[in-house]
Amino acid sequence: MTVYRSRHALRGPLTPDRIATLPLPLTRRGRRGYQVDEIDALLDRLAFELQRRTRERGDVRAENQRIKCALRAWQSEQQTYQAR
């Protein structure tokens, strides 16, 4: 698995609360807005986290489906043995 590392990366997982309260450095005097490199680093990190969580969610769904199928097969097997 690839690990995202950047000099601007936050430590630990990103949560909605952490993102909402994230202090972004302002540009130097005379310019408005935020520093572009800080925003780019944040967007890269958000994209990485979203991709990782989406992949993990898909893995969990696949595992749940596998468990459900195994349970159904086991239940059918048990009903067959009880019918005898």
Side-chain angles (χ1 to χ4, degrees), residues 7-58:
R7 62 185 172 93
H8 302 289
L10 299 169
R11 297 259 189 253
L14 295 176
T15 63
D17 293 337
R18 286 187 70 196
I19 292 170
T21 60
L22 182 68
L24 294 173
L26 296 173
T27 57
R28 294 182 297 273
R29 283 190 171 170
R31 293 185 57 197
R32 294 184 183 183
Y34 296 102
Q35 293 181 14
V36 176
D37 60 334
E38 296 287 336
I39 298 299
D40 288 343
L42 177 62
L43 291 175
D44 288 343
R45 176 70 188 270
L46 289 172
F48 173 80
E49 287 285 332
L50 182 59
Q51 181 183 32
R52 182 181 59 84
R53 290 180 184 186
T54 300
R55 187 174 48 247
E56 286 175 355
R57 187 175 178 188

